[in-house]
Amino acid sequence: MSQYYCYARANVAGVFGHSTTTKGDTMKNRIRATIRIGTAITLLALANAGLAQIRFLTNTPVIFQSQLHQQFSDVAFHAGWASFQVDGGQLQFQVFLDGYFSNFCGAVLFTDSRQATLQMGTGQFMYVPMCDPVPVPGSDPPVFISCDGLRAGTYYAGTIPLNETLLGELVAGQGEVFFYLPAWRANGPYWEVPPPVQGRLLQVLVGDVTNALAGLPRTPRSLTAVVGAGPVSFPFNDWPNPDSGVDVDRDGRADYGLHGRMLCTMSIPSDCSTMFGVSCASSNQLLVQGWDAWVVPLGTRIGPTAPTNAAWGCPGMDSLTSTLSGSCYRPWSGELGRLGEGYLGVRLRRADGNHYGWIRVRLPRKTSFLVLQPYFPDPAGPGGLNPSWPVMGAGSLGLLPEPVAVWEFGPVIEDWAYEPAPDTPILAGARPFPVPIQCGGVRRTGYLRLSFTGEIGRGYAVQFRSDLVADRWATLGWLLIPTAPQTILDLPMSGATGFYRVVEAE
């Protein structure tokens, strides 16, 4: 059975490690498995909609479409349509909103674990033909909406960045798009917020998902990067808390602090601005643009020379992203809002010089991630004024009788890495990529046999360390470039015990 590590002790060798597929391979297999589910959903949707039959072709683009609607209890109003197409590592969107919904606060694409703010632009007024009556996706019992004839509305087009996780969840049928509408003035001093225009994205053409996955930016490889993992959530406190930061170099002290705060008005409903930021501990620095932490996409070079329009420094208080809720919900702002998931460039100042690395951060997921106990035994709360999130009081978490879901209210740090050699650049997201190996045992005294299946012409390196406690692996000093699918190696065992692995090189 293939594993990621071979363990050698004197004249004995065995296997040790994790499952036999890398994260990328796992995602690809998951996407292939969910194609069948997406196909079934698509066929059902097309049958219910009475649309013409569509030929399912290979090498076609991956497309997701939605009939947009506004839902009031058991009544739905047609609101337009949306289409998203995978193209060159981007998700291109086309949206037609009925003229009645031209004034909206913001738009968001959701899956179960990812979200991204849609930058809609100004739009273009036009008339378009509408389709036959279709059911509201997910309504039970079915709610039908009609969209016959010509309709006046506004057409929008644009792109959002695409990543492997987002694509996989879209193919699995998890995609939803929301257009949030502003509150209207009711009779009296109160404001009411109308339901958003929304729609579930279904894959209407079984396109070439494998080709779409291959077209995404490839995660850079690093032989030496030291990787740490979260998740780490941003807390609500006005100033950085040393207990709620990120210790990139694992020295027991936070290198970067995380903080968030919320400011609300006294109106009804209250408009609340929620802001999150990152700060530098000691003399460490981040890539910044002005007073904002600069969020970069996968593969950006992070090193002594800052990229164009960026600089090394320390960001301001509310430096990462923000959102506004209340009478008009505005999605997450800034580059993190646009990317949904990105990287912070870090510079650690240590005794031996500057070390460069990255921190991967994403927007909060739509679903809950933790279960705690409720503060109020009565689900309605005192006076029936239970808020949309659990109220947590100091010292109350151990006294609560029934579980409730706690939502992610802000960004989340997923993982991070840095180069242990001083003054060595790193690419955003770069990390070691071990490949599955097979341990053949000790075939002759002092030598361990291992084999791996690699890609012809790609570089690989063998690495060693004496135990699994140390952060760093030592590269054995040569680069392997396979000329056949299977590579067999006899490695000299340099010590009494040790661990070996094979990693991909750029």
Side-chain angles (χ1 to χ4, degrees):
M1 176 178 171
S2 298
Q3 301 290 331
Y4 283 114
Y5 309 125
C6 278
Y7 170 67
R9 184 181 65 188
N11 292 330
V12 180
V15 297
F16 183 91
H18 304 293
S19 62
T20 60
T21 56
T22 63
K23 177 182 177 183
D25 291 334
T26 301
M27 177 59 69
K28 292 174 183 177
N29 292 336
R30 187 179 304 149
I31 289 177
R32 294 188 186 102
T34 55
I35 290 175
R36 295 189 297 272
I37 300 175
T39 303
I41 295 174
T42 299
L43 291 172
L44 179 60
L46 293 176
N48 287 339
L51 300 180
Q53 291 184 346
I54 299 175
R55 285 194 306 149
F56 294 91
L57 305 174
T58 58
N59 299 321
T60 56
V62 180
I63 299 175
F64 309 93
Q65 290 187 352
S66 176
Q67 197 76 44
L68 302 176
H69 64 279
Q70 185 184 37
Q71 183 84 42
F72 288 89
S73 183
D74 60 347
V75 177
F77 295 94
H78 173 261
W81 53 263
S83 177
F84 291 76
Q85 177 175 321
V86 178
D87 187 8
Q90 300 285 314
L91 200 58
Q92 297 183 348
F93 65 83
Q94 299 183 74
V95 173
F96 180 85
L97 280 179
D98 189 283
Y100 182 77
F101 304 104
S102 59
N103 181 24
F104 59 92
C105 306
V108 182
L109 172 66
F110 281 111
T111 60
D112 281 1
S113 71
R114 293 295 186 268
Q115 65 168 295
T117 300
L118 299 183
Q119 298 182 343
M120 302 293 291
T122 56
Q124 178 182 355
F125 178 81
M126 64 174 58
Y127 286 94
V128 297
M130 292 289 99
C131 63
D132 293 330
V134 296
V136 174
S139 61
D140 185 20
V143 177
F144 283 83
I145 51 181
S146 179
C147 48
D148 293 328
L150 290 175
R151 202 76 173 222
T154 308
Y155 171 80
Y156 303 87
T159 62
I160 62 173
L162 186 62
N163 58 64
E164 197 173 80
T165 303
L166 181 58
L167 176 58
E169 294 183 350
L170 287 171
V171 171
Q174 300 174 9
E176 293 183 274
V177 60
F178 285 77
F179 299 86
Y180 294 97
L181 307 174
W184 51 63
R185 187 67 179 265
N187 295 327
Y190 293 90
W191 293 79
E192 292 182 336
V193 180
V197 169
Q198 60 183 303
R200 180 172 295 277
L201 294 173
L202 297 177
Q203 188 178 348
V204 298
L205 285 177
V206 180
D208 191 343
V209 178
T210 301
N211 185 59
L213 186 65
L216 297 179
R218 179 176 178 267
T219 302
R221 273 56 172 162
S222 170
L223 298 179
T224 55
V226 178
V227 180
V232 179
S233 298
F234 281 64
F236 278 104
N237 52 3
D238 285 339
W239 299 105
N241 185 335
D243 297 327
S244 61
V246 181
D247 180 9
V248 177
D249 58 4
R250 301 185 184 181
D251 64 354
R253 297 175 297 178
D255 301 303
Y256 298 94
L258 311 175
H259 47 88
R261 59 176 176 162
M262 180 182 292
L263 300 176
C264 298
T265 66
M266 297 298 292
S267 60
I268 301 175
S270 178
D271 282 319
C272 294
S273 180
T274 307
M275 300 154 285
F276 292 93
V278 185
S279 60
C280 304
S282 186
S283 58
N284 299 322
Q285 293 181 315
L286 289 165
L287 283 177
V288 297
Q289 283 186 319
W291 288 103
D292 294 331
W294 195 43
V295 181
V296 300
L298 181 72
T300 302
R301 188 177 187 274
I302 301 169
T305 302
T308 305
N309 300 324
W312 288 106
C314 296
M317 177 66 187
D318 305 317
S319 58
L320 187 58
T321 188
S322 64
T323 184
L324 180 69
S325 59
S327 62
C328 194
Y329 175 77
R330 292 194 179 94
W332 296 100
S333 65
E335 195 65 3
L336 181 58
R338 188 183 76 87
L339 294 172
E341 172 185 297
Y343 296 83
L344 302 173
V346 305
R347 177 156 72 179
L348 303 172
R349 295 189 180 274
R350 304 174 73 184
D352 61 346
N354 294 327
H355 293 256
Y356 296 93
W358 51 263
I359 297 175
R360 182 164 64 111
V361 59
R362 63 167 172 82
L363 293 177
R365 68 179 69 225
K366 185 181 179 183
T367 54
S368 58
F369 76 112
L370 181 63
V371 173
L372 296 177
Q373 301 295 316
Y375 183 60
F376 302 115
D378 177 6
L385 296 177
N386 194 37
S388 58
W389 59 84
V391 176
M392 297 296 173
S396 67
L397 295 183
L399 306 175
L400 309 177
E402 297 180 5
V404 295
V406 176
W407 296 75
E408 292 180 350
F409 293 110
V412 175
I413 302 294
E414 289 277 21
D415 46 20
W416 53 87
Y418 78 99
E419 285 291 347
D423 301 316
T424 302
I426 188 174
L427 300 180
R431 64 186 71 216
F433 270 74
V435 300
I437 59 178
Q438 292 180 327
C439 298
V442 177
R443 298 300 179 93
R444 55 194 175 100
T445 303
Y447 286 85
L448 169 70
R449 173 163 292 185
L450 64 81
S451 62
F452 69 95
T453 300
E455 183 179 340
I456 296 175
R458 183 179 295 279
Y460 298 87
V462 178
Q463 295 187 326
F464 169 85
R465 65 182 180 187
S466 58
D467 57 63
L468 293 178
V469 178
D471 284 338
R472 299 181 62 174
W473 289 80
T475 301
L476 293 185
W478 66 88
L479 193 65
L480 303 171
I481 302 179
T483 57
Q486 188 77 5
T487 300
I488 300 175
L489 302 171
D490 284 337
L491 303 175
M493 294 184 289
S494 58
T497 62
F499 293 85
Y500 296 84
R501 72 177 184 181
V502 177
V503 295
E504 294 183 13
E506 284 292 351

